[in-house]
Amino acid sequence: MMLYILDLIGCAVFAISGALAAGRARLDFFGVMVIATITAIGGGTVRDVLMNRHPVFWIHDPRYLYLTCITGLFTVLWAHYLPIPAQSLLIADALGLALFAICGAQLAEAAGYKAIIVVLMGTITGTAGGVIRDVLSAHVPLLLRKDIYASAAIAGICVYLLLKTLRVPQNWAFVSGCVVVAAMRLLAVIYGWQLPVFNFSG
Amino acid sequence: MMLYILDLIGCAVFAISGALAAGRARLDFFGVMVIATITAIGGGTVRDVLMNRHPVFWIHDPRYLYLTCITGLFTVLWAHYLPIPAQSLLIADALGLALFAICGAQLAEAAGYKAIIVVLMGTITGTAGGVIRDVLSAHVPLLLRKDIYASAAIAGICVYLLLKTLRVPQNWAFVSGCVVVAAMRLLAVIYGWQLPVFNFSG
Amino acid sequence: MMLYILDLIGCAVFAISGALAAGRARLDFFGVMVIATITAIGGGTVRDVLMNRHPVFWIHDPRYLYLTCITGLFTVLWAHYLPIPAQSLLIADALGLALFAICGAQLAEAAGYKAIIVVLMGTITGTAGGVIRDVLSAHVPLLLRKDIYASAAIAGICVYLLLKTLRVPQNWAFVSGCVVVAAMRLLAVIYGWQLPVFNFSG
C-alpha cells in the first residue's frame, strides 16, 4: 500500500517535469498532457513490455493515467499564476528517479532475474520515460549527457541488491537504495559533478 | 469484411503520407518504403504490443506489408510524373486518422478495457505511426505541435463511446465517431484552428 | 554453438561502432556504455518483442550485456591510446550486419512466418539497433540516407530464402546469405554506390 502511494507520487513528480519540458518547447495543451503522461509512465511501460508483464501497469490500473493528466493540467495552471519553485522540483525529480529505479529493480528481482538484469530493469524504469520525452522533443537525451543521472540509479540499485544479499530486511534495503539514488543525484546537481567525456573524432 | 477494407484503405493513405514525407527529407528509394510502411503500421503495432495481441496484425496478415510497399512505390512514380493533389491527400489523411482511431478504440473496447484506456489505445493507433515517422526524420512530432490532430481522434472516440453507452447500434456509433474525427481534423486545417500554447521558460 | 559465437561476435562489433558514435557525440562514460549496448542488442530486442519471444534474448542470457559493456569500456581505452583502424571496423560492421540479418531471418523462418515477414524480421534484427542509436543522438538515421545498408540485408536474406527453397543445406544457405550482405555493404562503401533519392517538395 505504502509502495503504491510512493509509486503514484513518483508518477506525479515525473508528470510535472514532463509538463514543464513541454512548456519550454511551446507545445499546445494536448502536447503537455501527452508529454507529461509519457514521461511518467514511459519507463514502466518499456519495463513491462520487455519483462512480458501483461497487462501493462497503467492498463491494469488506469488511475495512473488520470493522475498524470490531472497533474499536467494542474502544472499548466500553476505556471500561469505562480512561479515554479525550481529547488523543490529538483528534489522531487530526484525522489521520483529513486522510487522508480528501486521499485523497478524490486519487480525484476521478484521475477527471479540475475543481478545485471535487475540493475538494467531498474535503470530503465527510472530513466526511459525521460529519454522518450527528450526524443519526442528532438533533443539529445539528458540521460546521455555528462550529468550523473542513470549512474545514480545504478549505484542505488547496487546498494539495494548488496543489502539484500547481506540479509538486511526488505524495507531497510529499499529505503537505503532510494536514499543513495536521490542523494547522488542531488549532490551531483548541487556541486556540478560530472562524469568524464569520451571525445572521439574519427 | 467492410472493416477490413476500410483498414486497408487507412493503411494505404498513411503510406502515401509517409512516402511524401520521405521525399521531403530526400531519402532514397528504400527509405521511402521504410517510412511509408512505418507510418502505416506503426500505430497498430504499438497498440498490439501494449495490448499483448500476438501475432501483431501485419505478422498475422502480411497483406498490409505488400500494400504499404506497393503504395510507397506508386507514390514515388506518381510524384515523378504528376502533381500531388494536396487537397485530396489532406482529406485522405483525415479519413485514415478517423478509421485507425475508431478501429483501435473498437479493439480495446472488445478486450474489455475501461473507457480511458479505450480512448488512449484508439489515439495511439491513429497517431503513433506519424510520431515514429517524425522522430525518424528528426522533427518535433506534428502531433505535439499546435495543430488539432490527436485532439480530433480523442473527440471522435469519446463520441463513439458515448453513442455505444446510449445503445446506438455498433455501425452507427462507428460511422459517427469517424465523421467527428475527420470533420474536426479537416475544419481545423481549413480554418486554421489551433489549441492554445503553454509557454514556459524556467 | 558456432551460431552462438558468431552472434556474440556480431554483438561486440556493433558495441564498438556504438561506442565510437557516442565518442563523436562527446557523451560521458555511462552514455558510451548505454549507446554501445543499445546498438548491439536493440535490433534483436525489437524482433523478440514483435515476435513475442520471451524472455528477450539478453534477459535469457545476460552474457550479451556483460559483453557489450566490456566492449564499450575496451573501445574507450583503445581509442585513448591507439588509433582506430577504420578499415577493419568497416569490415567488422558489415560482418555484424550480415550475421544479425541472417540469424534474425532464421529465427523468423523457424517460427513459420511467411517470406515477407522473414525478410522484415531479419532486416529489423540487423538495423534497428543502429536506428535507435541514431535517434538517441538526434540524427536522421543512417539507414534512411542514400547508403546501401538495409538494402544489403534484404538482398542477402532473399538469397538465403531462395537457396533454402532450392533445398540447399542450411549451413550453405546461411553462409551464402551472410556473404551477400557483407559483400554488398562493403562494395557499396568502397565504390560509393548509392540508391537514387526521391526528392519531393510539396
Side-chain angles (χ1 to χ4, degrees):
Chain A
M1 187 59 195
M2 191 61 201
L3 202 64
Y4 180 61
I5 291 170
L6 288 174
D7 208 29
L8 288 175
I9 292 174
C11 260
V13 166
F14 273 125
I16 294 172
S17 91
L20 294 179
R24 270 185 218 105
R26 306 195 75 247
L27 300 184
D28 69 31
F29 179 72
F30 177 77
V32 171
M33 303 281 256
V34 172
I35 294 281
T37 301
I38 287 174
T39 309
I41 70 172
T45 305
V46 174
R47 175 203 64 209
D48 284 355
V49 167
L50 289 178
M51 284 177 61
N52 202 24
R53 296 179 78 234
H54 287 285
V56 170
F57 74 99
W58 48 266
I59 294 182
H60 180 71
D61 179 2
R63 265 171 288 192
Y64 287 98
L65 298 179
Y66 298 121
L67 178 70
T68 58
C69 289
I70 291 168
T71 308
L73 178 58
F74 174 79
T75 307
V76 172
L77 289 176
W78 178 290
H80 198 72
Y81 295 108
L82 293 166
I84 299 282
Q87 295 296 32
S88 54
L89 186 68
L90 192 67
I91 294 169
D93 184 68
L95 285 178
L97 175 67
L99 288 170
F100 274 21
I102 307 294
C103 284
Q106 212 173 354
L107 282 173
E109 200 197 8
Y113 292 146
K114 296 215 179 95
I116 192 170
I117 307 287
V118 172
V119 172
L120 194 61
M121 286 298 169
T123 308
I124 287 173
T125 309
T127 63
V131 170
I132 300 174
R133 176 196 64 205
D134 291 344
V135 165
L136 289 182
S137 333
H139 289 119
V140 173
L142 178 71
L143 170 67
L144 301 176
R145 291 180 173 276
K146 39 186 174 163
D147 210 13
I148 290 176
Y149 196 82
S151 323
I154 293 174
I157 299 168
C158 289
V159 167
Y160 167 76
L161 287 176
L162 187 70
L163 293 179
K164 293 275 293 189
T165 310
L166 300 173
R167 298 186 182 282
V168 172
Q170 175 69 27
N171 285 351
W172 285 100
F174 186 91
V175 170
S176 307
C178 287
V179 167
V180 170
V181 178
M184 263 190 75
R185 176 64 190 143
L186 287 174
L187 291 172
V189 174
I190 292 169
Y191 294 106
W193 289 352
Q194 288 188 348
L195 291 170
V197 165
F198 172 40
N199 188 0
F200 172 69
S201 52
Chain B
M1 186 60 193
M2 192 60 199
L3 202 64
Y4 180 61
I5 291 169
L6 287 174
D7 208 29
L8 287 175
I9 293 173
C11 260
V13 167
F14 272 124
I16 294 171
S17 91
L20 293 179
R24 269 184 218 105
R26 307 195 75 247
L27 300 184
D28 69 31
F29 179 72
F30 177 78
V32 171
M33 303 281 256
V34 171
I35 293 281
T37 300
I38 287 174
T39 308
I41 69 172
T45 305
V46 174
R47 176 202 62 210
D48 284 356
V49 168
L50 289 178
M51 284 177 60
N52 203 23
R53 296 180 76 235
H54 287 284
V56 170
F57 73 100
W58 48 266
I59 293 182
H60 180 71
D61 179 3
R63 265 170 289 192
Y64 287 97
L65 297 178
Y66 297 122
L67 177 70
T68 58
C69 288
I70 291 169
T71 308
L73 178 59
F74 174 79
T75 306
V76 173
L77 289 176
W78 178 292
H80 198 71
Y81 295 109
L82 293 166
I84 299 285
Q87 294 296 31
S88 54
L89 186 68
L90 193 66
I91 294 169
D93 184 68
L95 284 179
L97 175 67
L99 289 170
F100 273 21
I102 308 295
C103 284
Q106 213 173 353
L107 282 173
E109 200 197 6
Y113 291 147
K114 296 212 178 97
I116 193 170
I117 308 286
V118 171
V119 172
L120 193 62
M121 285 298 169
T123 308
I124 288 172
T125 309
T127 62
V131 170
I132 300 175
R133 175 197 65 205
D134 291 344
V135 165
L136 289 182
S137 333
H139 289 119
V140 173
L142 178 71
L143 170 67
L144 300 177
R145 291 179 172 276
K146 39 184 173 165
D147 211 13
I148 291 177
Y149 196 82
S151 323
I154 292 175
I157 299 168
C158 289
V159 166
Y160 166 77
L161 286 177
L162 186 69
L163 294 179
K164 291 276 292 189
T165 310
L166 299 173
R167 298 185 182 282
V168 172
Q170 175 70 26
N171 286 350
W172 285 100
F174 185 91
V175 171
S176 308
C178 287
V179 168
V180 170
V181 178
M184 263 189 75
R185 174 68 189 142
L186 286 174
L187 291 172
V189 174
I190 293 169
Y191 295 105
W193 289 352
Q194 288 187 347
L195 291 170
V197 165
F198 173 40
N199 189 0
F200 172 70
S201 52
Chain C
M1 186 61 194
M2 192 61 199
L3 202 64
Y4 181 60
I5 291 169
L6 288 174
D7 208 29
L8 287 175
I9 292 173
C11 260
V13 166
F14 272 124
I16 294 172
S17 91
L20 294 179
R24 269 185 219 104
R26 307 195 75 247
L27 300 183
D28 69 31
F29 179 72
F30 176 78
V32 171
M33 303 280 256
V34 171
I35 294 281
T37 300
I38 287 174
T39 309
I41 71 172
T45 305
V46 174
R47 176 203 62 209
D48 284 355
V49 168
L50 289 178
M51 283 177 61
N52 202 23
R53 294 180 78 234
H54 287 285
V56 170
F57 74 100
W58 48 266
I59 293 182
H60 180 71
D61 179 3
R63 266 171 288 191
Y64 287 97
L65 298 179
Y66 297 122
L67 178 69
T68 58
C69 288
I70 292 168
T71 308
L73 178 58
F74 175 79
T75 306
V76 172
L77 289 176
W78 178 291
H80 198 72
Y81 295 108
L82 293 165
I84 300 284
Q87 294 297 32
S88 53
L89 185 68
L90 192 67
I91 294 170
D93 184 68
L95 284 179
L97 176 66
L99 289 170
F100 273 21
I102 307 295
C103 284
Q106 212 173 352
L107 282 173
E109 200 196 6
Y113 291 146
K114 296 213 179 95
I116 192 170
I117 307 288
V118 172
V119 172
L120 194 61
M121 285 297 168
T123 308
I124 287 172
T125 310
T127 63
V131 170
I132 301 175
R133 176 196 65 204
D134 290 345
V135 165
L136 289 182
S137 332
H139 289 118
V140 173
L142 178 71
L143 170 68
L144 301 176
R145 292 179 173 276
K146 39 186 171 160
D147 210 12
I148 291 177
Y149 195 82
S151 324
I154 293 174
I157 299 167
C158 290
V159 167
Y160 167 77
L161 286 176
L162 187 70
L163 293 179
K164 291 275 292 189
T165 310
L166 299 173
R167 298 186 183 282
V168 171
Q170 176 69 25
N171 286 351
W172 284 100
F174 186 91
V175 170
S176 308
C178 287
V179 167
V180 170
V181 178
M184 264 190 74
R185 174 66 190 143
L186 287 174
L187 291 172
V189 174
I190 293 168
Y191 294 106
W193 288 352
Q194 289 188 347
L195 291 170
V197 165
F198 172 40
N199 189 359
F200 171 70
S201 51

